[in-house]
Structure formats: structure tokens, C-alpha cells
Amino acid sequence: MAVPARPSSSDSEEEAPQNSGCSLPSVPKESHDSWGSWTGANVDGAVLWLLAPNSVPMSASAPLPNAIEIYSLHVDSTVTSRFAHTVITSRFVNKVNESQEAVFEVELPKTAFITNFSMSIDGETYPGTIKEKASAQEQYDIAVSHGQSAGLVKTTGRKLEQFHVSVNVASDSKVTFELIYEELLKRQLGKYELLFKVRPKQLVKHFQIDVHIFEPQGINFLETDSTFMTNELTEALTKVQNETKAHILFKPTIAQQKKSPELEETLLDGDFIIRYDVKRSVSAGDIQIVNGYFVHYFAPSEMPTFPKNVIFVVDQSGSMSGRKIEQTRDALLKILEDLRPEDHFSLITFNSLVTEWKNTLLQATGQNVESAKRYVKTIMARGGTDINNALLTAANTLDKANYAEILQADSISMIILLTDGQPTVGVQGVEIIQQNIQKAIKGKYVLYCLGFGFDVSYKFLEKMALENGGIARRIYEDSDSDLQLQGFYQEVATPILKDIEIQYPENSILELTQNSFKLFFDGSEIVVAGKIDNELDVLPVEIQAQSHTSKLIFKDEANVREKEKVFQHQKYIFGNFIERLWAYLTIQQLLEKSISAQEEQQKNLHVARALELSLKHSFVTPLTSLVVTKPDDQQKLQLANKPTESDNEKSGFTGFSGNKRSKIHKKKVLSYRRHHDESMYYSQRVPKTGQRAILLDMTEQSPDIFRTVQTPQLLINEYPHFLLQLPRQNDVICLNTDGQPQTSINLISDPDKGISVTGKLGRNRNHFVLFEITYLDPHVQLHVSKEGIMLSYGGHTTKLPWAKSASSTIQRLKIAVEKERSLTMSASDNVTIKIAFVKSPNRFLGLYFMDTDHFSDKASGLLGQFYFDTRLESNPGASQREDERVLSVHGQKHRVTRQYKKDYRLESATGTISCWSLRINP
């Protein structure tokens, strides 16, 4: 059974406006699809919308009043010990002489569970019933087969999900809608928040938002805020507060709602916000008990923060181009500023290649943070998406840092992944990636997965995060995407406890929710609930946790009878709220466990138990549906299903789900994204010469339309000698030289940076087979050949074979060999040098540079000349093809052409790059 609502105002108190008897013109049928008169409120992020038809003007001077008038809207919310029970009651009247459609549309928090819905038409009530989803779907399918074409209701918004129902209302008839939902308010950054989105777009005779809060711990602070409040509306707001209770009532009259006495327009357009927190101390928290169920809140504060070791793994593939990569850069710049001096951090960017800012973690000193910020500013979107290799690199970097004892022993290590799409390069099977990452992390680090937009597979990210102790979060493409990223980081920026274990008497507590937690962040809250054995008089609790400075043990006990008395005489408390809170929390945790379960049998057990509790407590969850019934002369059935985050992926553009068309469409979307990645940079797989490429042209109007383009002749049968990424530019130069074999060529010499690089071509002059790199400070020399690396420092020489991975740090210079793949040399505020060891078709070495904006203007040599005062230009006034440009190097002009070459930076021998090709003499 659903929880009964607190009695609301009766119809005798709120008389519906009567038709004056004048024959009002009928609303033309064309207007019925034009919905725009909204009434709204929001609880903990929920926007509650109520729609009525837009009025249609009789003439230019005489507008028609709203045909369907909302004469009453009450939002009554009771928050009892963080558990919110919200009742939305809306009353309509049809003022015209023909039937009209009344639409009730509510957007509620994704974390809320609907518990009841009903509508009353002229005194006859049509209740909703909650059933197992499969059973409800079968009932719906039968109704559809009999011609009742009701639609499923499961639309998600950004933080919200939408409940939408409509009904035909006869002339002069009244209809009342009532929706009830419940949720546990989540403490974030030290406060609970109730946000009411107020936007009626018409004057409402009986409008009120009525909120009661009861917190036995005591209310520490309470505040209200609004974006539309005027002096007149302030008089409609009352706030009463004592030690444990608060009552906020916003009840403006018609006169107070008006923009001016002459206009029938409302001032109510914006946000009405209530924020509060409760009193707490450094103790074992607070236990509350009602009817044999308990809830335990634990949120210590004023504790030292653990140092963090955080690696940001950022997708820079082609699909991140434009606003997304700009907002990502902006967010990272702010997040880097928020790092604490004792934190260690690093950055990994990935597309078809995985690029490390540094090959280890650095302490968050001012100098290192500024260096990282300079690197972030250079991040450009291009290429494919190699999620597997990027995350394995992050885990390996943390492993190496721990092995080298760079990190503090009592620090917290985490990986934060941001990606906007599916893996398209390297390992692409999501289950294999999940297994690889779980094996690499081995429970040592926490993984957070942020999915940017709707090309991502949220299920993939969510399962991977949950398997590794973290959570997944969707970042919505909007003007505040950078703020969403910063907000998430702030939630995990201050870990103050780890390895938290909360213990209760083993034989006296039944069906306990999660009581073991890996991390606790300042400003959040741990909630545990369970059922108490009837014979227990005293409930003891012991909490063990590790802080930054010591091992902590908290002990307390709660007298069961005394605790139950707290709620006995509260008039606005619904008596079994802790049992419902326990069921709500248990269902959520069972659904999470079903996602991360390794065995199918275990997953089925979690789902079965969650379904049982959903039905018992009348919750609309992802396993149940609300069946809405209507009068006999209308479509009889509608289903309200609880959507999940993954239901809103881009495969839903067409509006189909679970059928053949949606699967085809999903493949097309993935094909589009893969093309978008590949067309931005070098990771594309180029069609054979002369083939016609089929490219998906994605438009909302016709998502299934394809177009064809003719591909040019492509020169992809060779590797260039060098790949040069021009500083602060997206353009890549493929450079070949006509040097003599086995003759040393001066490639780079930069006295300001203390770097010089020379190289030798092989006998056939197709590739370079030897490089000499010299650093002046520290004085290090590296002789790199196909056979291995010779490292000379301080009079000693060390041989590093390509056959195994190795790393070393000499003063501030870091040298790392990746087995049979690459050599990396990096130092803070200096250029990173990488040499790829290419085995196919013939072994050779490929040199490239990163952080090239660090080169000084004194750099010289065959390659050094390109790293300042170099730019690509069009040739104005001349006939120039699209695949031609002029490359200006210190004023000297070179004609270059767009070609496709093999990319030696990629592990795959089939990887190619679109670049501007140039051949010069040394």
C-alpha cells in the first residue's frame, strides 16, 4: 500500500471558478498541440511542471482566457530525518463549452521513487496501481491490441525524470491529479537542498509550497533564496524554526503574483530554494528508531584531509572537438588550482594514442600546477578513442609511483576518467576492457567514470566504476558542463576517512544495508539502516575507521524505547518512515550490486529481492511500473516506468526502444561517432584507393539518411621520417629528408633547454635507425638504436633492452622504456622526447616531440627550425587546390600537400595520419 498523504485543502476551501454563462469561443483543434502554460515546483532538484493549453486569441485586442484553468496547485513536502515525502495536488477546471485535454506533467528527481498516483474527475477517482514491469507491460500490450493506443511514459532529463499523463475533461468539469513520491535527501558539500522551480505562466488562485522539516539531531542552519522574490512576494513567505523543526510556507495571493495591477501576468518565474544542515559532533553519529526499524547517520567533520594521488584521464578524441574540449580545458584549469600542496597528480590524455603529461605523479607545487595548466591549454581534440590503454597506463603509473615510494603511505589514490564515447581503437570489447581494468587496479585505487554527453555507454562506465570502488556520473552537454566537472571533483576532493566499518550486534539486527565503506568525503554522509530484533532494548554501535593521523574507534548505544518516543507525538510524521527509508536504501543498493555482480545467479538474486521490496512498499523502480487507469471512453492504460541513466543514450533519437530499428540506429550512431573521431585526425582507417566511402550525415530531421563522397587517391604505403606537431596548432607535418645513410644529421639543438638530438638514416634511407640524445642538466647521454638503449651518466653506462619495460629518474629527468614499443624522456618545464620502436615491416625508430611549446626561439637543426615562427598559409591570388598549402618557416616558403601516411606513433601497423607532406635536404 502507498503511504497516505497528509490531508490537503478540500474543494470547499478552494472553489473552482465557474463558467460565467457567456458562450466562449471554442479553442480550435490546431491549438491543442500547443502547450505552454506551466506550473512548477522543485524538491531536491525536482522540477514539478503542470501544463495547460496555451490560450488562443479571439482577435488582436481580445485574448481568450485559458480554456483549462489551474485554480489550485499545492506542493506539500515533509522531510523527516532526511527522508522526503512529497505530495503534489493540482486541480483543473474546463471553462469552455467543449471537451479539453488536461495534461499533468511532473519532473521529479532521478533518485526518487513514485509511490502513488490518482486522478479524480467530477468526484470519481481513478487510482494507479504498481505492478511488476513484465506483468504491467503484458497488461499494456493487451490494451494496445484492443485499440487503446496509450504510450509508455519514461523520459529522462538532466537531473530529473518526467511523469506525464493527460485526460479529456468535459465542459464545466473539474479534475484533480495527485502524485506522491519519496526519496532520501543526499548530503553534498555540507548541506541538503530543496529547489523549487516556480513557473506557472498564469495566475493561480490557490498556489502554495508548504514544507515541513523535522530533524531530531537539531537544525544547524536553514536558509531560503529566490530568483524572483519582490517585496510583495516576500510578504507571502513565512519561515518558522525552532531547535528541531522548520516550517516554510510560500502562499502568494493573486494580487501578489501579478507583475502589475493592470496585467494578468505572473511574477512567479524562477527558483525558490531551501538549504539546511543538521547539528552533529565527532561521535558515532545519530541513531533513530521507529516501529522496529533503525537508521544510523554518520558524518564526522573537522578532521584532517588525506593527501590524494589523482590521475585525470581525459578523452581528446575527435568527437570531443569544439565546446566539449573547451569546457574540459576550463574545468581542468580550475580543478588543478584546487589541488592541495600535499597532493600528487598527473594527466593522461588519449585518442588513438595515449599521452602522459609526465610519466609519473608530481607533487602539486605551484610550479608543477602551472606546468600542468600550460599542458592543459594545448589539449586538442583529434583521433580515435583508446579507453583500455589509457586506463591501463593510469593504473601502471600509480603502480610505478608506489613502487618508487614517491607517494605517501597513508594517501588516497584515484583515477578520474572523462570520455564522451565508445572505444574505437585498441581493445573495443567493453567486457574485456572492464576485466582488464579490474585486474590492473586490484582494489588498490578508486576509479570514477564521467560520461560526457550521450554517445557514451553509461552501462559500460557504471559497471567499470562500481567494480573498482567508484561511481559513474553523466556530464550533460550544456553551458555549465565545466561547472558540472568541477562540482564532481569538489565532492571527492576531501577524503577524511577510509576503511570505515560499522558494527552492530550480529544476532540482533536483520537485513542490514551496506555497513562497510572504502572512503568518506568531508561534507557527505553515511547512512545505514536495518531491522531490530524485538527483544533488543539497547542498540550498541562501534565504528572503526582510519583517519590521516590515526586509527579511530567510535562507540555509542541507543535506548530503543527512548528513541522511539522521539517520533510519537509529531503530527506531520508518517509513522513507518524509517521502514520505508530502509526499503528505499536497500532497493538502491541491490540494483547497484546487480550491475557489478560477476555471476548471473548472484545478479538474479539481487534483482528478485529488489523487486519483492518494490512491490511490498509500492515503489516505482526500474523493476516495476505504475499502471494508470482512465475513464472508459478514453485510452484506458498508461504505464509510468522508472527510467535508468542508460535509457537516455543516443540510440533513443528515433523514439524506439527494444526493437530492431533502435538497434540499427544505435549502430549508425556508433558509426557516426567513429567517423567523427577518425575524420578529425590520424586514427582513421582510410578506404582503398578509388573506393567510395559511406559517411553518415547525422541530422535530427532525418537520422537515417546517408550520403556518399568520393575519396581522393591516397598515399598511405609509407612511413614518413618524422611527424612534427606544430606548437599551438592542430596541423601535423610529415617530413622526409634526403640525407646520406649512416651520416649524423643535426636534428635539434636548443641551448636554452640544454637538449640536442642527432640521427642516422639506415642504408636504404627509408627510415632512421639511430638517435643520439644529449641533456646538459643533468649531463645524460642516450644512444638509441634498434638493438637497445645505452644510457650514460656520471661515468657509468647502462644498457636498456627493448625486450622489457624499465624506468629511471636522474635528478628531474625521467626516462621510461615501454617494452618493445617506445622510449620516453621527460622533465618538468621541458620538451618530452619520444622514440617509437617500430617492428613492421622492417625494424626502425620513429622520433617525435611533445610539449613543443617549451622549445625556445634558439632551437635550430633540421627539425628545430619548425618549432617557432612557422605557420601554414593559403596562397592568396593564386590557383590553389584544397590539398595544397604554403608552409612558412622563418619567412622561407615551402609548398606542401595533404597526404595520408602511416603513423609510427600508433601500435597498429594500419594506423594512418592526414598530414602536410614536405621533403627537404638536411
Side-chain angles (χ1 to χ4, degrees):
M1 294 292 292
V3 177
R6 185 171 70 253
S8 56
S9 303
S10 65
D11 280 336
S12 61
E13 294 174 322
E14 300 177 355
E15 284 192 23
Q18 300 298 313
N19 192 328
S20 64
C22 302
S23 296
L24 295 174
S26 300
V27 178
K29 286 186 178 180
E30 298 86 52
S31 72
H32 293 180
D33 291 330
S34 178
W35 299 98
S37 296
W38 300 71
T39 297
N42 177 296
V43 178
D44 191 33
V47 183
L48 311 176
W49 299 107
L50 189 60
L51 285 81
N54 277 330
S55 58
V56 177
M58 290 169 51
S59 64
S61 59
L64 178 69
N66 290 304
I68 294 285
E69 181 177 325
I70 309 164
Y71 66 92
S72 172
L73 174 66
H74 282 196
V75 179
D76 300 309
S77 185
T78 299
V79 183
T80 308
S81 187
R82 287 68 138 187
F83 196 63
H85 174 85
T86 301
V87 182
I88 305 144
T89 308
S90 181
R91 295 183 171 90
F92 291 55
V93 62
N94 181 5
K95 295 171 60 180
V96 298
N97 291 333
E98 68 174 17
S99 294
Q100 298 290 314
E101 187 177 41
V103 178
F104 178 70
E105 190 169 276
V106 174
E107 294 191 45
L108 60 153
K110 291 179 178 179
T111 54
F113 292 156
I114 292 173
T115 67
N116 202 1
F117 170 78
S118 64
M119 57 183 166
S120 299
I121 303 175
D122 290 335
E124 186 171 354
T125 300
Y126 299 88
T129 56
I130 294 173
K131 296 186 176 184
E132 180 184 358
K133 182 175 282 188
S135 173
Q137 185 68 45
E138 183 179 352
Q139 184 178 352
Y140 169 77
D141 290 342
I142 292 172
V144 170
S145 70
H146 291 164
Q148 299 165 4
S149 56
L152 294 174
V153 185
K154 51 176 188 179
T155 305
T156 38
R158 177 170 166 177
K159 291 183 179 180
L160 317 165
E161 58 196 32
Q162 188 181 83
F163 178 86
H164 173 110
V165 68
S166 62
V167 65
N168 287 328
V169 183
S171 175
D172 289 330
S173 290
K174 294 185 294 182
V175 59
T176 298
F177 298 100
E178 183 179 83
L179 180 73
I180 304 174
Y181 66 85
E182 295 173 349
E183 66 167 329
L184 179 63
L185 299 184
K186 185 178 181 181
R187 186 171 184 253
Q188 289 184 316
L189 302 176
K191 61 181 178 290
Y192 311 96
E193 183 176 282
L194 286 77
L195 169 64
F196 296 81
K197 187 74 72 175
V198 181
R199 199 170 292 162
K201 292 195 175 180
Q202 66 170 275
L203 302 173
V204 181
K205 183 176 182 181
H206 300 284
F207 176 90
Q208 73 175 39
I209 300 170
D210 193 7
V211 180
H212 288 268
I213 301 171
F214 176 53
E215 292 290 352
Q217 285 178 253
I219 297 173
N220 185 39
F221 81 88
L222 178 100
E223 62 184 19
T224 60
D225 193 10
S226 172
T227 60
F228 57 80
M229 199 65 69
T230 63
N231 290 334
E232 289 77 13
L233 286 174
T234 301
E235 296 175 2
L237 174 65
T238 59
K239 182 174 70 173
V240 180
Q241 178 186 347
N242 61 23
E243 182 70 16
T244 60
K245 301 174 188 174
H247 179 208
I248 300 95
L249 177 65
F250 181 56
K251 191 175 182 180
T253 63
I254 288 281
Q256 289 170 326
Q257 293 174 45
K258 286 186 176 183
K259 283 187 176 180
S260 68
E262 308 82 39
L263 297 175
E264 295 294 304
E265 296 179 7
T266 180
L267 282 165
L268 305 184
D269 187 1
D271 297 340
F272 181 79
I273 304 164
I274 300 170
R275 300 184 186 95
Y276 80 96
D277 196 19
V278 302
K279 295 179 179 179
R280 49 176 58 85
S281 59
V282 180
S283 68
D286 186 70
I287 296 176
Q288 296 163 25
I289 303 171
V290 172
N291 295 341
Y293 285 84
F294 82 93
V295 60
H296 181 191
Y297 297 105
F298 180 59
S301 59
E302 299 180 1
M303 289 188 173
T305 301
F306 280 99
K308 296 190 305 298
N309 314 308
V310 56
I311 298 183
F312 302 97
V313 182
V314 181
D315 186 344
Q316 62 168 142
S317 61
S319 58
M320 284 284 289
S321 62
R323 194 180 193 184
K324 283 195 284 190
I325 201 69
E326 291 172 6
Q327 291 177 318
T328 299
R329 284 195 300 260
D330 291 343
L332 283 172
L333 291 173
K334 296 286 192 340
I335 289 170
L336 289 171
E337 291 176 356
D338 290 339
L339 290 169
R340 299 170 185 267
E342 62 271 21
D343 293 340
H344 284 71
F345 75 105
S346 192
L347 293 157
I348 293 174
T349 57
F350 69 96
N351 42 41
S352 303
L353 290 171
V354 175
T355 303
E356 297 180 79
W357 166 60
K358 305 295 179 185
N359 62 358
T360 188
L361 288 92
L362 297 183
Q363 190 171 347
T365 63
Q367 183 180 7
N368 288 335
V369 167
E370 286 304 312
S371 174
K373 287 167 70 175
R374 286 195 296 272
Y375 174 77
V376 166
K377 291 176 183 177
T378 68
I379 296 175
M380 299 291 180
R382 55 206 172 201
T385 309
D386 191 351
I387 294 175
N388 182 73
N389 198 20
L391 288 176
L392 290 179
T393 302
N396 185 51
T397 300
L398 283 168
D399 286 343
K400 289 189 297 183
N402 278 314
Y403 182 76
E405 298 183 350
I406 296 172
L407 311 178
Q408 295 188 37
D410 58 349
S411 56
I412 303 293
S413 296
M414 60 181 70
I415 299 168
I416 300 178
L417 167 70
L418 172 67
T419 182
D420 77 329
Q422 311 274 6
T424 63
V425 174
V427 179
Q428 297 176 43
V430 295
E431 291 184 0
I432 297 173
I433 295 174
Q434 289 163 345
Q435 293 168 9
N436 290 345
I437 305 312
Q438 192 172 21
K439 287 177 184 177
I441 290 178
K442 297 177 183 175
K444 296 173 291 186
Y445 320 123
V446 179
L447 173 63
Y448 298 105
C449 296
L450 307 181
F452 205 143
F454 291 95
D455 282 327
V456 295
S457 169
Y458 191 83
K459 283 184 178 180
F460 162 53
L461 296 182
E462 184 178 31
K463 181 176 175 62
M464 190 161 59
L466 290 172
E467 287 175 338
N468 294 284
I471 60 171
R473 180 80 56 85
R474 192 186 297 282
I475 303 299
Y476 286 76
E477 294 183 54
D478 209 337
S479 59
D480 68 343
S481 297
D482 54 339
L483 298 180
Q484 295 177 55
L485 289 167
Q486 292 172 55
F488 174 80
Y489 175 74
Q490 288 170 2
E491 290 177 38
V492 300
T494 53
I496 60 174
L497 290 178
K498 68 177 182 178
D499 302 329
I500 304 106
E501 296 285 341
I502 305 179
Q503 300 296 332
Y504 308 92
E506 189 172 342
N507 298 322
S508 301
I509 300 298
L510 308 174
E511 299 191 271
L512 190 66
T513 61
Q514 180 182 348
N515 64 327
S516 176
F517 304 88
K518 191 167 187 175
L519 292 174
F520 175 79
F521 298 96
D522 193 26
S524 63
E525 185 171 56
I526 287 174
V527 185
V528 182
K531 186 176 182 180
I532 303 173
D533 188 287
N534 292 332
E535 298 179 359
L536 193 66
D537 295 322
V538 175
L539 175 60
V541 58
E542 178 177 301
I543 303 174
Q544 297 184 12
Q546 178 69 49
S547 77
H548 177 39
T549 55
S550 63
K551 178 87 171 177
L552 300 177
I553 298 179
F554 301 98
K555 292 185 178 181
D556 201 357
E557 60 181 30
N559 185 296
V560 174
R561 303 292 172 257
E562 291 298 320
K563 286 287 184 180
E564 286 191 326
K565 290 179 182 178
V566 173
F567 297 97
Q568 286 179 354
H569 304 294
Q570 307 301 330
K571 292 182 180 178
Y572 53 83
I573 303 304
F574 46 104
N576 63 341
F577 85 93
I578 292 184
E579 179 182 354
R580 298 187 64 77
L581 185 159
W582 163 83
Y584 170 96
L585 198 58
T586 301
I587 292 167
Q588 284 200 328
Q589 292 176 1
L590 285 169
L591 292 173
E592 281 193 358
K593 288 179 180 178
S594 71
I595 293 170
S596 58
Q598 301 297 318
E599 302 293 335
E600 192 67 24
Q601 183 179 3
Q602 192 64 39
K603 176 181 178 178
N604 292 338
L605 288 174
H606 294 322
V607 169
R609 178 59 174 153
L611 173 60
E612 179 186 353
L613 291 174
S614 299
L615 293 171
K616 179 180 178 181
H617 295 276
S618 294
F619 285 140
V620 178
T621 71
L623 307 174
T624 56
S625 295
L626 173 68
V627 181
V628 177
T629 56
K630 293 186 178 183
D632 290 340
D633 60 341
Q634 302 183 39
Q635 54 183 38
K636 277 197 169 183
L637 292 179
Q638 283 186 297
L639 298 187
N641 292 328
K642 175 78 174 175
T644 62
E645 188 62 56
S646 57
D647 290 337
N648 210 19
E649 311 277 303
K650 271 199 173 175
S651 59
F653 279 161
T654 58
F656 292 81
S657 63
N659 56 28
K660 185 176 180 181
R661 180 174 176 181
S662 81
K663 292 175 184 176
I664 294 172
H665 186 73
K666 187 168 185 177
K667 290 179 182 178
K668 292 178 181 177
V669 170
L670 181 56
S671 299
Y672 162 72
R673 184 186 188 280
R674 194 183 297 266
H675 165 68
H676 189 67
D677 279 352
E678 294 167 350
S679 65
M680 288 299 297
Y681 194 45
Y682 49 78
S683 64
Q684 62 195 68
R685 296 185 180 276
V686 182
K688 294 178 182 179
T689 301
Q691 275 192 343
R692 296 175 67 86
I694 306 299
L695 306 180
L696 177 58
D697 183 15
M698 286 292 295
T699 62
E700 290 187 10
Q701 290 77 14
S702 55
D704 296 329
I705 295 177
F706 290 84
R707 59 185 173 89
T708 60
V709 297
Q710 184 71 40
T711 60
Q713 297 290 321
L714 303 172
L715 305 176
I716 59 172
N717 59 344
E718 62 179 25
Y719 288 98
H721 287 157
F722 299 106
L723 291 167
L724 307 182
Q725 178 77 54
L726 298 181
R728 292 172 292 278
Q729 300 179 51
N730 290 334
D731 298 294
V732 176
I733 305 299
C734 289
L735 183 68
N736 279 40
T737 179
D738 293 323
Q740 296 300 311
Q742 303 302 320
T743 300
S744 183
I745 301 172
N746 176 26
L747 301 175
I748 286 277
S749 180
D750 190 338
D752 279 8
K753 293 298 179 180
I755 296 176
S756 67
V757 182
T758 64
K760 291 183 180 181
L761 283 163
R763 289 188 180 89
N764 58 12
R765 297 195 298 183
N766 288 341
H767 308 294
F768 275 77
V769 294
L770 186 144
F771 292 107
E772 298 271 1
I773 301 103
T774 302
Y775 286 87
L776 295 182
D777 183 21
H779 189 64
V780 174
Q781 289 183 308
L782 293 104
H783 176 96
V784 186
S785 68
K786 296 185 294 181
E787 286 68 41
I789 302 108
M790 302 297 291
L791 170 63
S792 300
Y793 171 68
H796 300 282
T797 299
T798 303
K799 184 173 182 179
L800 303 172
W802 288 111
K804 64 179 182 179
S805 296
S807 64
S808 178
T809 301
I810 302 173
Q811 295 181 28
R812 60 192 182 88
L813 177 64
K814 300 171 183 63
I815 301 167
V817 179
E818 186 176 356
K819 180 182 177 182
E820 296 185 343
R821 184 163 182 189
S822 66
L823 166 68
T824 305
M825 294 143 281
S826 63
S828 58
D829 296 323
N830 209 335
V831 178
T832 296
I833 302 174
K834 297 199 77 163
I835 296 176
F837 178 55
V838 183
K839 294 182 288 184
S840 174
N842 299 307
R843 293 195 304 168
F844 70 93
L845 304 176
L847 172 72
Y848 59 104
F849 302 98
M850 298 161 61
D851 307 319
T852 54
D853 56 323
H854 288 316
F855 278 123
S856 75
D857 58 6
K858 295 179 183 178
S860 61
L862 180 70
L863 307 182
Q865 63 182 318
F866 291 92
Y867 287 112
F868 67 99
D869 195 18
T870 300
R871 60 189 176 276
L872 279 166
E873 302 172 345
S874 296
N875 191 1
S879 175
Q880 179 176 281
R881 302 201 315 262
E882 282 296 314
D883 60 348
E884 289 183 345
R885 290 291 185 275
V886 172
L887 181 68
S888 174
V889 183
H890 307 291
Q892 186 176 355
K893 308 296 184 180
H894 303 271
R895 183 181 295 276
V896 293
T897 57
R898 172 75 78 182
Q899 294 183 358
Y900 287 88
K901 301 285 187 180
K902 289 186 177 181
D903 191 342
Y904 55 69
R905 297 172 299 180
L906 301 179
E907 190 172 8
S908 170
T910 61
T912 61
I913 176 172
S914 172
C915 58
W916 298 103
S917 184
L918 175 65
R919 179 176 290 273
I920 61 174
N921 293 321

